Amino acid sequence: MVSSQILVGGDGTEATLEDGGLRLVDRSARTEIPLAVVREARTVGGQHVEIVLTDSTVHRVDGGNPTAATAFVAALTAALPARRDPAGSARVTVTPLAPPEETEEAEEVKYHPKYRRRQVVALGLFLAYVGYTIGVGVARGGEEVVRPVAAAIPLAIGAALLFFAVHVTLVHFALKRRGITVPASFDFKTKDGAAWYKFTDADGVERSGRGKNRGPVARVSYDPEDPRDYSFDLSDGSTLRRALPFALGALPLLAGGAFLALLPFLPV
């Protein structure tokens, strides 16, 4: 029987040894490796662990600490079967957890009309504020420009918080209106306590979703127009609990920033 172990790296990566094989997880992908295609495991000084496949491909993960790395290598070596499969990487499964920046899917998301509109609005607000700052310098003198420049910091932070609150709310209503609900099976749990589930959309594409641990099987609703928008809880209360703190945090920052930006024109 395989001795289950989880090697947690200092860079956030995780390597899990179970009866089913070896699973490597980082921020971008989950890699499933059958033990039959592992030639050997090794570590040098406990800084890193290298998993060498039968086709000589090497997967390198952070060792966390020397004791844990050495114990993980020992457990993995003891679990290797007597007969190996020379297929190596051909039997390795890689599932993206976040779309890489250079993939076709990322390009489609980047140029989705929703994202174009957001870029145009953000650019318009930025240019308008730059124009306002220049106007302050022309109308009130160069020394007054310091105030709108300083106000840009709380305004930017407040705008980001407000954007997130609005985004959560809009996703909620979009999923209520056109969301598709499918079963999601528990996949794995990361060290920050988040649970990852995998589900298959209507087009047959397997996707991953991050949320709270809801047991081995959960329900997830996703937006067919943009499957990156999903939710495991479509209740109004859940959305309010997520959006309200960001909105409340945004209001004083926006109010204070607006006051500082308008101060050159306010009566003293």
Side-chain angles (χ1 to χ4, degrees):
M1 180 178 177
V2 175
S3 174
S4 297
Q5 285 198 29
I6 300 176
L7 182 66
V8 180
D11 57 356
T13 59
E14 292 184 4
T16 304
L17 174 63
E18 297 176 330
D19 285 329
L22 184 64
R23 181 174 65 240
L24 311 179
V25 180
D26 58 25
R27 295 179 180 178
S28 62
R30 180 182 72 251
T31 303
E32 303 280 355
I33 305 175
L35 295 180
V37 301
V38 177
R39 179 194 299 166
E40 64 172 324
R42 61 199 182 202
T43 181
V44 179
Q47 298 300 316
H48 295 89
V49 170
E50 293 183 345
I51 296 99
V52 184
L53 306 188
T54 52
D55 63 353
S56 298
T57 301
V58 178
H59 291 267
R60 195 165 184 256
V61 295
D62 189 90
N65 64 73
T67 302
T70 302
F72 187 85
V73 168
L76 176 54
T77 301
L80 295 179
R83 298 185 62 180
R84 312 295 172 81
D85 186 341
S89 298
R91 291 190 56 191
V92 174
T93 303
V94 179
T95 303
L97 299 180
E101 295 182 359
E102 299 300 326
T103 64
E104 182 179 351
E105 180 182 354
E107 290 298 317
E108 291 177 359
V109 171
K110 181 179 178 181
Y111 292 106
H112 188 284
K114 175 175 63 177
Y115 295 94
R116 287 198 188 97
R117 290 193 296 269
R118 292 177 182 177
Q119 292 170 355
V120 170
V121 171
L123 180 61
L125 291 174
F126 173 76
L127 294 177
Y129 195 78
V130 171
Y132 172 77
T133 303
I134 295 174
V136 169
V138 173
R140 296 299 185 184
E143 66 279 0
E144 291 294 333
V145 172
V146 175
R147 292 178 178 178
V149 170
I153 297 176
L155 286 175
I157 298 175
L161 294 175
L162 184 61
F163 167 81
F164 186 81
V166 172
H167 172 72
V168 168
T169 304
L170 292 179
V171 168
H172 172 77
F173 286 115
L175 293 177
K176 285 278 192 178
R177 185 172 67 254
R178 61 172 179 264
I180 297 175
T181 302
V182 296
S185 58
F186 179 80
D187 198 4
F188 62 94
K189 187 176 181 180
T190 54
K191 66 177 182 178
D192 62 355
W196 283 85
Y197 287 80
K198 56 184 178 181
F199 61 94
T200 304
D201 65 19
D203 296 323
V205 178
E206 186 178 272
R207 301 186 180 276
S208 295
R210 183 179 188 273
K212 296 180 180 179
N213 192 338
R214 301 177 183 276
V217 179
R219 293 187 303 175
V220 61
S221 297
Y222 72 91
D223 186 350
E225 294 187 5
D226 186 1
R228 292 189 10 157
D229 291 337
Y230 61 85
S231 177
F232 289 92
D233 186 352
L234 280 180
S235 66
D236 295 339
S238 174
T239 301
L240 185 64
R241 287 191 296 272
R242 292 181 61 201
L244 187 59
F246 289 96
L248 293 178
L251 293 179
L253 289 170
L254 291 174
F259 175 79
L260 185 59
L262 295 173
L263 196 58
F265 296 101
L266 296 178
V268 179

